[in-house]
Each structure stands twice: as C-alpha cells, then as structure tokens.
C-alpha cells in the first residue's frame, strides 16, 4: 500500500510529501482440489508469492498444465512454456495417478476483478472473487455477449436458451467462456453480496435429467434440441459416436415434452494425452453423432432423425432440430 500526504488550499495542491509504501500481513493460503482421469479447469484468486509454475503446482503428481494460449507445462517431458502463474488466467490440469489431489498456494488476495475476453476462442476464465456467486449474477448485463459458459463437470450456462445447469461459480474453479459475436470486451466481476438464487425448479430439473452412464472427461460439447417427437416421460435421449460408443445421455422430463425447456444434451469428448505419456480418457473424438431414444418400458432404442447432423468437433455447441 502506497500513499502521499498533500496540503490543499481552495482545491489546489500547494504541498505534497514523498510517496511512502508499506505492506500488510494479509497473506492467505488457497487450496484447490482436483480430480483424476479428467481435464480439470482451475484458477487462483490470490497472487502467489512465488509465481513459478513448478512451485505453484509442486504439491501435485502432475501430468500437464495448459492455458488458453496453448502454452504447456509438462514436467516429465521438461516442457515449460508457461512463464508464471497468476490470478488473471485459468488453467487446465491433468493429474497422474488414480486418486484425487489437492494443492495449496500462499499469496495475497487478488484485487483484479477485470479480465479481457476474446472472440472466436474458448477463454479460460479464472474466478477472482473470494466467495461463490450465482452464475446469472456473475454475468448480469453481459448475457447478449455470451454464447456459452461451462465448467469441467459439463454444467452449462447458455442465456439465449435459458440453460443454467451451471448454477454457481466458486473460487478455485476455472470456466470456459465463448462469446457471441466478433467483439471481445473487458469483463468485470460484480462485488459480492449475492445469495444463491437458483430456483428450486432448476435444481429439480438438473437432478431429474442428469445421468451417470457416461464418463465425465472434463471436455464436452452441448447439443440444444428444442423439441422431439415420439418421446415419453421417462425415456432417455442418447448420443453415440461413429463407433456406436455411448458419449452422452439425458433423461426426458415433463419440461421437454411441453416445450418449456430445451433438451440440453451434453456429449463428453475424448481426452487423448498419449503424446505426453498419459492416458486416453474415452469419449467422442471429432465424429458425427447418432441420436437414439431409449424407451425404458420396452427396453428398446429407436433411431432419431434430425434435419441437420451434429458432431463433437472443436466447436462447443450445436442446435439440432
């Protein structure tokens, strides 16, 4: 903290001291938990005392770290393209081993609440505030500029379609943000004081529709389907890749049948880290998607035809009809 002392007469500075600076003992420790067998999106909301990437991630048995500029840190291959770690960047992290891990970093709380978001790319947005906030409160006023926001649990916020399975944003997490249009902008986090405002109906929707028959890889693609003919309550819409591998599924609920909510089908994408001696986490790999409707009563799948074909390509959202 730096300051000067000034003498002011009738609004005019007539004398001013030299600048003096001092520090406070306000250091904090941030702990971030990470999962195995998936691409974790994470961030820091502190400015580390030691920004060296080896130091920041020293607690982890680590395969790789990368940012949204495609810079990599791969310790086993002696690759280090990341100059320093800071709170203005989000990162993707993949662990070695089969267990969850956590990392702790010492630093000062970050005061930078403004970040630049660029068009035509998936921005890795760090979470700068010190407390969790509802997603729609975080992006209030920016809705028309957003296409999608997503996390590594394959939860989404798509304001144009009223999709908000990503209901809350929290410290330690990183978020993929793709803009709507050709212009970037300066995004500023709101000040705190928001209570969690996700409606009970949205909570119930999320619980009712999400399934556990597909592995979450941390990389995903969203299909928006506004209506489906022939579906019944309790059916399940499933997505298969070109090898007939199940890569996504969603339970059909009342909101889908009456058209009050789009069918937000998440397809989980393959993560192939073989180039760095890592595993291949099974999922969809840049292939066309086949949709099938599973009828639980008949224990039968029916093919679903669409006017347009979708694929789990490098884009992150498709609208099917």
């Amino acid at each position: 903290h730096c300051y000067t002392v000034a003498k002011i007469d009738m609004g005019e500075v007539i004398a001013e001291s030299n600048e003096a600076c001092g520090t406070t003992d306000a250091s904090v420790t941030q702990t971030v938990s990470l999962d195995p067998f998936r691409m974790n999106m994470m961030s820091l909301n502190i400015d580390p005392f030691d920004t060296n990437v080896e130091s920041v991630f020293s607690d982890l048995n680590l395969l790789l770290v990368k940012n949204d500029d495609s810079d990599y840190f791969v310790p086993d291959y002696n690759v280090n393209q990341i100059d320093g770690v800071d709170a203005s960047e989000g990162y993707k992290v993949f662990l070695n081993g089969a267990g969850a891990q956590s990392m702790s970093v010492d630093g000062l709380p970050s005061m930078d609440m403004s970040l630049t978001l660029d068009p035509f790319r998936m921005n890795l947005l760090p979470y700068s505030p010190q407390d969790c906030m509802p997603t729609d409160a975080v992006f209030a006023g920016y809705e028309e500029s957003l296409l999608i926001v997503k996390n590594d649990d394959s939860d989404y916020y798509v304001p144009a379609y009223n999709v908000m399975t990503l209901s809350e944003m929290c410290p330690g997490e990183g978020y993929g943000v793709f803009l709507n249009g050709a212009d970037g902008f300066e995004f500023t986090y709101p000040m705190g004081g928001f209570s969690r405002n996700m409606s009970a109906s949205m909570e119930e929707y999320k619980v009712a529709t999400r399934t556990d028959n597909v592995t979450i890889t941390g990389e995903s693609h969203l299909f928006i389907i506004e209506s489906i003919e022939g579906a019944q309550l309790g059916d399940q819409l499933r997505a298969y890749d070109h090898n007939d591998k199940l890569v996504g599924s969603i339970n059909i609920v009342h909101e889908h049948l009456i058209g009050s909510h789009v069918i937000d089908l998440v397809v989980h994408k393959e993560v192939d880290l073989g180039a760095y001696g890592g595993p291949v986490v099974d999922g969809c790999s840049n292939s066309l998607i086949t949709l099938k409707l599973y009828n639980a009563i008949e224990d039968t799948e029916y093919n679903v035809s669409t006017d347009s074909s979708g694929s789990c390509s490098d884009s992150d959202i498709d609208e099917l009809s």
Side-chain angles (χ1 to χ4, degrees):
H1 301 276
C2 298
Y3 64 92
T4 59
V5 177
K7 182 179 180 179
I8 301 175
D9 185 16
M10 301 296 292
E12 181 180 353
V13 177
I14 58 176
E16 187 172 8
S17 71
N18 293 327
E19 184 179 64
C21 297
T23 61
T24 63
D25 187 22
S27 65
V28 295
T29 299
Q30 182 178 9
T31 300
V32 179
S33 298
L34 303 167
D35 295 317
F37 304 125
R38 76 160 65 177
M39 191 65 79
N40 295 269
M41 287 194 282
M42 59 78 63
S43 66
L44 299 176
N45 63 359
I46 64 171
D47 296 317
F49 292 131
D50 184 351
T51 62
N52 188 286
V53 65
E54 290 99 335
S55 175
V56 170
F57 293 100
S58 62
D59 292 341
L60 303 177
N61 182 5
L62 185 69
L63 179 63
L64 63 80
V65 179
K66 72 174 182 175
N67 61 19
D68 57 9
D69 286 324
S70 296
D71 298 320
Y72 280 79
F73 171 56
V74 191
D76 289 347
Y77 281 69
N78 200 30
V79 172
N80 187 358
Q81 301 166 338
I82 298 176
D83 293 331
V85 177
D86 61 62
S88 67
E89 297 283 347
Y91 300 92
K92 290 186 176 182
V93 178
F94 202 95
L95 303 174
N96 278 318
Q101 301 179 42
S102 62
M103 54 182 280
S104 295
V105 184
D106 296 326
L108 297 177
S110 175
M111 297 292 105
D112 189 2
M113 295 291 118
S114 294
L115 304 158
T116 300
L117 295 177
D118 297 318
F120 307 124
R121 69 184 299 181
M122 182 59 75
N123 297 268
L124 270 173
L125 179 70
Y127 188 79
S128 303
Q130 301 300 308
D131 299 300
C132 297
M133 282 193 285
T135 305
D136 54 352
V138 168
F139 292 106
Y142 297 98
E143 293 89 349
E144 292 186 0
S145 299
L146 296 175
L147 181 62
I148 62 169
V149 183
K150 67 177 183 177
N151 65 7
D152 56 16
D153 281 326
S154 302
D155 297 319
Y156 279 82
Y157 175 55
V158 189
Y161 289 97
N162 197 32
V163 172
M164 202 173 86
T165 51
L166 176 58
S167 58
E168 188 176 56
M169 299 173 66
C170 289
E173 299 292 333
Y175 300 91
V177 179
F178 202 97
L179 303 184
N180 185 25
D183 297 321
F185 60 88
E186 192 79 4
F187 167 73
T188 301
Y189 276 101
M191 300 305 291
F194 295 95
S195 60
R196 193 165 185 266
N197 67 348
M198 187 180 186
S199 67
S201 60
M202 185 61 76
E203 289 275 17
E204 292 168 359
Y205 171 84
K206 184 174 176 179
V207 171
T209 57
R210 271 34 199 171
T211 67
D212 59 1
N213 54 356
V214 182
T215 300
I216 295 176
T217 67
E219 300 283 0
S220 60
H221 184 104
L222 181 65
F223 288 92
I224 296 290
I225 303 159
E226 296 201 63
S227 64
I228 184 169
E229 295 182 5
Q232 301 177 18
L233 191 66
D235 288 352
Q236 190 176 89
L237 184 63
R238 296 174 174 175
Y240 293 87
D241 71 358
H242 67 288
N243 291 320
D244 290 329
K245 176 172 55 186
L246 181 67
V247 292
S249 66
I250 184 172
N251 295 324
I252 300 298
V253 295
H254 181 66
E255 291 90 335
H256 299 151
L257 300 179
I258 64 174
S260 65
H261 199 289
V262 297
I263 302 173
D264 46 329
L265 172 64
V266 175
V267 169
H268 301 274
K269 300 165 82 170
E270 178 183 273
V271 175
D272 185 354
L273 301 175
Y276 297 103
V280 176
V281 184
D282 216 13
C284 185
S285 177
N286 293 330
S287 66
L288 292 177
I289 291 297
T290 299
L291 297 182
K292 296 185 179 183
L293 188 67
Y294 173 72
N295 184 303
I297 295 176
E298 300 176 4
D299 192 24
T300 303
E301 286 184 335
Y302 295 94
N303 290 328
V304 175
S305 62
T306 59
D307 292 337
S308 56
S309 60
S311 69
C312 53
S313 62
D314 289 336
S315 63
D316 287 275
I317 186 170
D318 272 316
E319 182 181 359
L320 300 181
S321 57

